[in-house]
Amino acid sequence: QVQLVESGGGLVQPGGSLRLSCSASGSIFSINRMDWNRQAPGKQRELVAGIGSGGSTTFADSVKGRFTISRDSAKNTVYLQMNSLKPEDTAVYYCNLHSRYENYWGQGTQVTVSS
């Protein structure tokens, strides 16, 4: 059974930084892609960033130039480095793992950007 565990969330001031991590464990035969999504209060969940098995990355326009995504394939871990954080980045951030047959989600980690 695949398990995803996110960590690194917390309360930061505008302009600050956080680094989120997501580690996957269990019976994983193939990871095609790992994404970070977020859901802000009163809003739908949205894709923030993603990284494919070949290392290609994508970002939402709202975070380009501020966020970076990386992975450590040996550890089945993906990271989201968030810089220059804004109040509108406040959300629960979810890790999403795309395997060949199924998508798996973590429990989410809260990021709050406030002074």
Side-chain angles (χ1 to χ4, degrees):
Q1 187 173 16
V2 175
Q3 302 285 336
L4 299 178
V5 179
E6 299 114 322
S7 63
L11 173 64
V12 297
Q13 294 183 336
S17 298
L18 283 174
R19 186 179 188 237
L20 307 183
S21 64
C22 171
S23 296
S25 62
S27 300
I28 306 173
F29 287 92
S30 178
I31 300 175
N32 292 329
R33 183 181 179 90
M34 295 186 75
D35 297 332
W36 284 98
N37 294 256
R38 67 186 182 187
Q39 188 164 23
K43 295 186 177 181
Q44 291 186 305
R45 190 172 299 185
E46 64 175 344
L47 177 67
V48 176
I51 185 166
S53 60
S56 62
T57 59
T58 58
F59 298 93
D61 288 341
S62 60
V63 306
K64 286 182 179 178
R66 300 188 297 119
F67 291 11
T68 58
I69 187 170
S70 61
R71 61 178 169 84
D72 185 337
S73 296
K75 297 180 179 179
N76 286 335
T77 300
V78 64
Y79 305 93
L80 184 68
Q81 179 66 47
M82 305 185 294
N83 300 322
S84 302
L85 283 163
K86 304 175 180 179
E88 51 262 45
D89 295 317
T90 296
V92 177
Y93 285 71
Y94 298 90
C95 180
N96 181 25
L97 185 155
H98 301 259
S99 71
R100 180 176 180 179
Y101 301 107
E102 190 60 86
N103 295 332
Y104 303 94
W105 293 86
Q107 82 287 352
T109 184
Q110 176 70 49
V111 172
T112 302
V113 185
S114 177
S115 60

